Amino acid sequence: MNRLRALVLAVLAPLTASLLLQGAGTAQAAGYRYWSYWELDGRQWVYATQGPASLRPEDGAVQGFRFSVSENSADAATPRATEPFAEICGGTPERDGRKRIALVVDFGTVQDAPEGETPPKARAFCASVAEDASAADALAAVAAPLRYDSSALLCAVEGYPRTGCGEQVSVPDPSGGSSGGDASGDGAPGADAAAEDSAGDVSAGPSLGLWAGAGAVLLLGGAAVWQARRRRG
């Protein structure tokens, strides 16, 4: 009887561990907390293909910066405001040898903020900078202090956040979807189906474990009856 019980437990142990790992995998999603960089095309934000230190916007451009947690550029959250250039820079006069760059800085949500920090309210600036200035130069002119890491990754705007730079974080993800919140991703048609499949896997786990456990109980119970009959015989 003891041997049979040990055999059943040995079979159930890896199954139980597998179910627990599957549940843990669907409950968490890995992402990175960082400042993403955008360009406004009409009324739509487009993820910049160059970094702000490399890109030199033309006069009249609108640039955006958003702090959030996201897995990659495909699901990164956009700045939540889309003011046109005229609305941001309308009161800033043109000057010879200078260009005007509109900047939208979105410090993100409380959910995306590092522990112990509160994001400032989103702001819009009009930077009047030299004609050959980069987007990083324009940002530094109106939203200092900036902080960069050794790889020139933008870490902080106006000193926010105080610490950290592109660190990986784990966030609750019960739906199986993106952690970016109001992301600008293109919403692939298969995303909902994938989420439904994931939800189906989660609901199937406890059911499978229940049947396995019930089977083990029946097996042990049957063995006990058989042993008792043998002793009486």
Side-chain angles (χ1 to χ4, degrees):
M1 182 62 183
N2 290 335
R3 290 180 181 178
L4 181 58
R5 183 184 292 109
L7 177 61
V8 171
L9 292 176
V11 172
L12 286 178
L15 174 61
T16 302
S18 175
L19 292 171
L20 289 175
L21 288 175
Q22 290 175 9
T26 56
Q28 297 290 325
Y32 297 87
R33 183 183 285 120
Y34 70 103
W35 280 98
S36 56
Y37 171 44
W38 304 81
E39 297 182 275
L40 190 65
D41 182 6
R43 302 290 293 186
Q44 181 177 0
W45 288 110
V46 178
Y47 201 93
T49 57
Q50 299 181 56
S54 302
L55 190 62
R56 284 169 166 72
E58 297 180 356
D59 181 81
V62 181
Q63 309 285 284
F65 295 85
R66 170 70 190 265
F67 188 76
S68 68
V69 174
S70 60
E71 294 182 44
N72 50 50
S73 60
D75 81 331
T78 66
R80 287 168 289 180
T82 56
E83 289 98 336
F85 175 81
E87 190 171 322
I88 299 173
C89 287
T92 303
E94 296 183 50
R95 294 170 54 190
D96 291 339
R98 311 284 289 182
K99 62 182 178 182
R100 294 171 301 166
I101 307 298
L103 299 163
V104 175
V105 180
D106 189 332
F107 295 89
T109 65
V110 173
Q111 289 74 20
D112 289 334
E115 185 176 356
E117 297 203 47
T118 301
K121 292 183 178 180
R123 299 175 62 188
F125 307 89
C126 185
S128 177
V129 292
E131 290 182 339
D132 63 345
S134 67
D137 294 331
L139 184 64
V142 294
L146 307 181
R147 178 166 55 86
Y148 293 88
D149 71 358
S150 58
S151 301
L153 177 66
L154 180 62
C155 303
V157 177
E158 288 193 336
Y160 179 84
R162 294 189 300 271
T163 60
C165 191
E167 66 272 20
Q168 187 173 19
V169 297
S170 294
V171 294
D173 189 22
S175 67
S178 163
S179 60
D182 49 336
S184 64
D186 52 8
D192 292 339
E196 291 174 1
D197 291 342
S198 176
D201 291 340
V202 174
S203 63
S207 177
L208 179 59
L210 178 62
W211 284 113
V217 171
L218 290 175
L219 184 59
L220 288 173
V225 172
W226 179 75
Q227 287 280 8
R229 287 180 177 175
R230 279 194 61 191
R231 290 171 182 170
R232 286 200 300 269

